[in-house]
Amino acid sequence: MLRRKSSRVVGLGFGLSSVIVLASPNLALAEDVTEYQELKVERRILEEVVVSAQKVDQSSQDVPISLTTVSGDFMREIGATGLQDIAPYIPNVRFSSDTDPALAQINIRGFGSNPLNSAFDSSVGFVQDDIFFNRPSYYNEAMFDIARVEVLRGPQGTLFGKNTIAGVFNVTTKGPSEEFSGDVRFKRTDPTEESVELGVGGPITDWLGIRIAASDVSRDGQLENQFLNRQDDKHDQNGQRIKLLFTPIEQLSIELMGVRSETTANYWGLQLAKLDDGTRSFLENYDANIEDDPYNFTSSYNQPGFIGKTSDTLGLKTEWNIGPVGSLSNLSMAVVIGDTELTIDSMVDLDASPADLAILNVVSDYEQQSLEWRFTGMADSLFGIGTGVEFVVGAYVFDSRFRQNVEIAVGEDFGAYLTTEDAFQLIAGSAPPGSGVLGGLNLAGIGLISDLTAAAIGDDYVRLDYLLNVDAQAIFAQMSWSLSEKFVVTPGIRFNRENKVADASGAGVCQTAALGTPCLMESALSAEDYEERGLKRSEDDVSPKLSLQYYLNTDSNVFLTYARGFKSGGFNASSFGGEDLAFEPEEAATLEAGFKGEFFDNTLRLNAAVYQTQFDNLQVLAFNGAFFDVTNAASAISRGLEMDFVWLTPFEPLSVMGSLGLLDARYDSYPNAPAPVSAGVNSNQDLSGKRIAFAPEQSASITPTLIFPVFGLAVQTSVDLLYQGDQYTDGDLDPNSYLPGFTQVSARISLGAPDQSWALSLGVSNLTDERVLNQVLDTVFFPGTYNARQKSGRKVFGALSLAW
């Protein structure tokens, strides 16, 4: 049969991908407690990490893919408030923002989906408590009371379905425990952030258990808006979760879950960078102190942007251990039903400047229902061949509705902007020096022009409406077949069918439209009125997988895995003219070879993998000078190495964990890619053979930890060294979007009871206050000027944790 660990363990938890435990090497021989105590031999070992990456509970060391597991305890230890905080510890994983509550862009092995067009499904799948969520905004929802996070790299289409082309985040939250228990954590951070996380539960009766969890986070933020005198990244979020576990008979369990999350934030946290002389002169008329240093946590724009987000989720998971059936030694059935709704209401200053040029309002509603019905089982052999078989087979049904309304409205200063060089450049494609007339005007002159034009323009906006209905069905199967004690083959396949129906329309709205005069914003965006109803597309996909695994011994194995995945096509949600609304599906195939092993009596765990992935028909957003066009334009190849380890060193108080990612992701073919705006508006270039954006060639982390007693108390100290290599952060590989590599240092110390009933912690993230950027991209109205998103600066936090 497949490798399984069975050592009984006691002790304390630890960090990334593993748990430190104390155990006797001869515990299995002990007849009773007295004999065990007489052995007097204790040593540290690494506990088995159980995951559900293949839809069954198994050791992470038995899963033949590149996989990293992060425990909820480690997330709390480092002060993580979301998945973006653990990304630096995971090889070849990158988040484009530390704070954005809606536009989460996650890249694995260099690939992800730009969230600026909501028609794109995420390339990285998100699953929480066995429910697949098909919107990237869920990445920031209900990230509390976490048991573990599994990060599966590479296409995962066979078991997780569509839109997992780059990988999957598989999150499991805590459920009702066998005994009544609870924990609470209070944390305060400077700059000001306060949070509390609570979880409590246990058995109510012999057949009913409960767990209630809640979180409340309030963050003042670090980004000072000097024009509005407010923090542009102020953020408040609260969430609640309840789980009820019914066990009417021993073989049957029914878990009912309800989750609610609410977020409000100032939005959207961009800073100006690389102002050219003409743009600077224009904006100085509105803010005499306008500046373009993207590293000083200072912005200046006039509209008080905001976002409000609410999600509600209901889940029902039924598991029935049927037992032996025919030749099957054990058969189990699981049914997972999910129902969720997500609403977002946002307004942002589109030009991110003190001039009142344009306002972007976006309101969206999303709901989905899903059902997965699967069977798992075991047999002694297959057709009399081999030493054991484990299988999972099932069906999946998905239905969703997404509605979005977008308004891009003219601001009061738009008329004054139209006489600048920037406006001439966008309208004509280029502007001769001196074509703008406002650079030398004083504030009074600007104000007069703005007042006159604003009165003449009145309400003027472009409205885009989008409605998308999706239904999908799939059947899937996978088995792990032990041909011998050492050799395991794992074939799998998924058949998926998806139907999409969409309505898309765009129109200019203004007071002169009735006279046949084009609306101003519509002209500025080169938009045209259109209305397309009943757009339809159907897609069928087959996602196969095959793994070959060889166990060198009971603690080490090597594997070779081929897998294929796809991301569905769709219809552009932000088209300004109605042309080329449809885009095609994206496909990926990967070949991965890896090693998983434990050494030195289970005190060192080392996992490593090399891979190559071919992406075809890449869905890309091309910036056209005003907004983004959607197209399938490229193919790419990603090659690399991923490694992580945990080592309980011979010096007993010291343990070390770390990770390494090497990444070479390049466009294989991209002949008509957008060029930087410096080459002219709507210019093209050939990026074939060039590095893709958001693909640092190296990423690494190392965390040494000391645990030792002091006056009967347990002291734990840790230091993190986190490195991310150089990269481009805009798809046109504009040199201005190039970010050099950087290293950040974090440190923590905690003092607590040996039984972990309480702990007091002090920590610092970004200890040296390294000023680095997450992303640099083109502005909408100022060609040659850029918007930057800055990573968080130094944060000092203190936390009190209680458990019972």
Side-chain angles (χ1 to χ4, degrees), residues 340-608:
T340 185
E341 297 181 3
L342 173 71
T343 62
I344 298 178
D345 183 8
S346 65
M347 185 274 282
V348 299
D349 189 326
L350 188 57
D351 52 281
S353 81
D356 185 12
L357 303 186
I359 303 168
L360 173 65
N361 291 282
V362 181
V363 178
S364 65
D365 296 283
Y366 176 76
E367 59 178 299
Q368 74 168 54
Q369 293 79 40
S370 62
L371 182 148
E372 182 170 293
W373 183 20
R374 64 178 184 261
F375 291 87
T376 59
M378 303 172 63
D380 293 336
S381 64
L382 182 63
F383 307 120
I385 302 173
T387 60
V389 174
E390 292 187 22
F391 70 87
V392 55
V393 60
Y396 181 75
V397 178
F398 173 91
D399 188 81
S400 72
R401 288 152 299 285
F402 175 69
R403 182 185 296 275
Q404 179 176 270
N405 304 112
V406 176
E407 289 185 0
I408 307 172
V410 166
E412 293 185 356
D413 301 320
F414 197 78
Y417 164 77
L418 287 177
T419 59
T420 65
E421 290 184 11
D422 287 326
F424 277 102
Q425 185 173 352
L426 285 180
I427 295 170
S430 63
S435 57
V437 299
L438 293 181
L441 288 180
N442 58 25
L443 186 60
I446 286 285
L448 179 60
I449 293 176
S450 294
D451 291 342
L452 291 175
T453 56
I457 294 170
D459 290 336
D460 188 305
Y461 59 90
V462 170
R463 179 181 177 91
L464 304 176
D465 295 320
Y466 185 75
L467 173 65
L468 177 67
N469 293 303
V470 180
D471 68 85
Q473 307 83 37
I475 56 174
F476 59 91
Q478 179 174 297
M479 71 173 178
S480 295
W481 184 12
S482 299
L483 298 177
S484 67
E485 291 294 332
K486 291 182 175 292
F487 191 67
V488 181
V489 58
T490 304
I493 195 166
R494 187 184 192 100
F495 298 93
N496 188 88
R497 181 171 180 81
E498 180 180 63
N499 300 297
K500 289 185 175 181
V501 180
D503 296 334
S505 63
V509 180
C510 60
Q511 60 189 15
T512 61
L515 302 177
T517 303
C519 297
L520 189 59
M521 182 58 74
E522 191 171 27
S523 298
L525 296 176
S526 299
E528 297 179 3
D529 292 359
Y530 71 95
E531 184 172 0
E532 298 287 346
R533 303 287 179 183
L535 298 167
K536 296 181 180 180
R537 66 179 301 119
S538 296
E539 296 172 355
D540 296 301
D541 179 76
V542 179
S543 295
K545 174 184 175 181
L546 178 63
S547 295
L548 306 176
Q549 197 170 14
Y550 182 78
Y551 284 89
L552 305 172
N553 52 51
T554 57
D555 293 320
S556 303
N557 68 84
V558 294
F559 65 86
L560 180 67
T561 296
Y562 169 83
R564 183 181 174 277
F566 88 109
K567 185 173 71 170
S568 58
F571 305 99
N572 189 355
S574 301
S575 173
F576 290 126
E579 305 93 354
D580 301 321
L581 282 173
F583 56 90
E584 298 304 311
E586 184 177 304
E587 299 178 349
T590 191
L591 186 64
E592 187 173 286
F595 168 83
K596 298 191 175 189
E598 293 176 349
F599 307 92
F600 311 131
D601 295 326
N602 285 0
T603 60
L604 171 63
R605 177 174 294 151
L606 175 64
N607 297 332

Side-chain angles (χ1 to χ4, degrees), residues 48 121 251 300 322 370 418 479 538 541 559 614 661 755 762:
E48 178 183 37
D121 294 312
Q251 296 81 13
S300 176
I322 301 171
S370 62
L418 287 177
M479 71 173 178
S538 296
D541 179 76
F559 65 86
Q614 174 74 50
D755 63 357
L762 178 67

Side-chain angles (χ1 to χ4, degrees), residues 705-786:
T705 298
L706 285 171
I707 303 176
F708 52 89
V710 174
F711 302 118
L713 299 176
V715 177
Q716 177 172 318
T717 63
S718 300
V719 176
D720 304 317
L721 297 176
L722 308 172
Y723 175 76
Q724 188 175 103
D726 64 290
Q727 61 195 291
Y728 292 92
T729 61
D730 203 353
D732 59 10
L733 304 189
D734 189 327
N736 291 292
S737 75
Y738 174 83
L739 302 179
F742 63 90
T743 300
Q744 290 187 326
V745 181
S746 298
R748 302 171 299 282
I749 183 169
S750 67
L751 176 69
D755 63 357
Q756 298 183 311
S757 59
W758 66 270
L760 185 63
S761 304
L762 178 67
V764 185
S765 60
N766 194 4
L767 179 64
T768 60
D769 199 23
E770 188 80 10
R771 300 297 178 95
V772 297
L773 303 181
N774 246 328
Q775 189 173 12
V776 178
L777 64 161
D778 295 281
T779 59
V780 174
F781 292 105
F782 308 121
T785 295
Y786 297 85

